[in-house]
Amino acid sequence: MKNHMMNAVLYDRYGGPEVLYLGRVPRPEPAPGEVLVKVHAFSVNGGELAARAGRLRLVTGRRFPQRVGLDFTGEVAALGAGATRLTVGDRVWGVLGRTSGFGSAAEYLTVPADRVGQVPDGLDLVDAAALLVAIIAVTALRDKAALRPGERLLVRGAAGGVGHAAVQLGRACGAEVTALARAANLEFVRGLGAHEAVDHRSVRPAQLGRFDVVLDTVGTDLRAIRRLLDPGGRMVTIAFDLNRPVASLGYIAASAIHGRGRVRFFSGNPVQKHLDDLARHVVEGKLRPAVHTVFPLEETAAAHQELEAGGVQGKYVVRVV
């Protein structure tokens, strides 16, 4: 495969979705312990939008061109030395690691073998791409918040990628789920299993009542949302205020020692065991995919634009092949 080229989505400067273009880059070869994946689909995530816009430039730097795409589904195309768990042709899914950056918006990618799992039989690879973000919801509710049957759960940003998975998982766990979303998305989140669906623009946080667990996917107004916790309540956020990052992250850190209810913040970094766990949830019927729109690879910029506009129900997915 040496000197072979492939299509990939790139950008040469920070900015809006219009900076994205389809370019040509060398097709990678798997190093020892890696697999080469022929990418079938990936979803569009908020973190890569922030990176493309330059809001994370302290991390992403100023070396261009840069890439987009965080998760992926596809087929194993080749194996590096020592990658014996998988075979060529296996249907796989995964998420690029924190040290790998972005880059799944491409025809091929290489990834360590321990960072991919096998897609459940019968699950379409486009649908599978929409479900990958559910790993974060599983970790947040089960591992970080220890959600229990009968508890009251508030999901903020309930119609989005992580949020719509959290509503389903909360209902499957036996929790009483309140979903905060746009008015246009309330019927959608009710259909996912929310006991109560509330237009986030129509109420103040204090009017929502009290909760045992809060899952926040928005990152703003964390102080007001935290006040909704009952004694012993737990709050998990997967986002922070990108307009006030230092203050927002500082508040999250301070919550561990001040006031009632620590705010737990984390970002996903899944490996095989997490992917296998997700597959079990799918097979058991606890999760079903919600694909809002499918875009071709050359229209990745349009997918970014749509996600930035808001109002997504589930996930925007880009099909590569």
Side-chain angles (χ1 to χ4, degrees):
M1 294 185 184
K2 292 182 179 179
N3 301 319
H4 285 193
M5 303 295 285
M6 68 175 184
N7 289 322
V9 178
L10 311 169
Y11 60 99
D12 295 328
R13 67 185 190 282
Y14 293 123
E18 69 279 357
V19 303
L20 299 179
Y21 66 93
L22 193 62
R24 300 285 287 172
V25 299
R27 186 164 67 184
E29 294 186 51
E34 291 185 337
V35 297
L36 176 70
V37 176
K38 183 178 182 180
V39 180
H40 185 93
F42 61 91
S43 74
V44 182
N45 298 280
E48 61 188 301
L49 270 61
R52 186 217 66 228
R55 292 182 174 184
L56 304 178
R57 67 183 69 199
L58 290 178
V59 176
T60 55
R62 292 187 173 276
R63 294 186 64 181
F64 295 100
Q66 294 198 24
R67 306 273 292 273
V68 296
L70 182 61
D71 55 42
F72 60 89
T73 65
E75 295 181 353
V76 175
L79 301 170
T84 58
R85 180 176 60 87
L86 297 163
T87 59
V88 172
D90 281 349
R91 298 182 339 127
V92 294
W93 55 359
V95 180
L96 297 178
R98 290 173 182 155
T99 59
S100 303
F102 302 103
S104 65
E107 292 179 306
Y108 291 86
L109 60 80
T110 53
V111 63
D114 62 359
R115 299 198 66 89
V116 299
Q118 292 188 303
V119 176
D121 291 340
L123 181 61
D124 179 81
L125 290 177
V126 167
D127 288 341
L131 281 170
L132 275 163
V133 74
I135 291 175
I136 296 176
V138 172
T139 303
L141 295 181
R142 184 190 63 191
D143 302 337
K144 301 294 183 180
L147 179 68
R148 297 184 292 270
E151 290 192 313
R152 295 197 67 207
L153 166 67
L154 175 67
V155 180
R156 188 174 181 222
V162 175
H164 92 284
V167 171
Q168 296 180 67
L169 291 168
R171 182 63 183 254
C173 174
E176 182 181 341
V177 183
T178 297
L180 272 180
R182 292 187 177 195
N185 293 336
L186 297 184
E187 193 60 35
F188 170 69
V189 296
R190 289 190 189 99
L192 297 172
H195 296 84
E196 185 177 7
V198 180
D199 177 6
H200 72 95
R201 296 175 177 173
S202 69
V203 299
R204 297 189 302 274
Q207 297 174 291
L208 291 169
R210 297 288 181 179
F211 299 91
D212 301 293
V213 174
V214 173
L215 174 58
D216 174 78
T217 72
V218 180
T220 59
D221 300 320
L222 295 180
R223 191 184 305 271
I225 300 298
R226 183 188 179 197
R227 294 193 186 105
L228 305 181
L229 291 175
D230 265 335
R234 293 86 71 198
M235 179 172 169
V236 181
T237 183
I238 62 165
F240 58 91
D241 191 342
L242 289 171
N243 293 318
R244 303 171 60 248
V246 175
S248 183
L249 289 170
Y251 174 74
I252 292 170
S255 76
I257 53 176
H258 295 293
R260 175 168 52 85
R262 176 184 174 187
V263 180
R264 299 162 175 85
F265 172 77
F266 79 101
S267 60
N269 192 36
V271 294
Q272 180 201 343
K273 65 178 181 179
H274 300 111
L275 295 159
D276 292 345
D277 194 23
L278 176 63
R280 283 192 293 272
H281 280 79
V282 174
V283 172
E284 292 169 1
K286 295 178 181 178
L287 282 167
R288 66 179 190 268
V291 178
H292 191 290
T293 308
V294 180
F295 297 84
L297 183 63
E298 61 269 21
E299 294 181 15
T300 300
H304 276 229
Q305 185 174 17
E306 289 295 318
L307 185 58
E308 287 188 345
V312 63
Q313 296 183 353
K315 295 291 289 182
Y316 292 115
V317 175
V318 176
R319 186 196 301 269
V320 179
V321 293

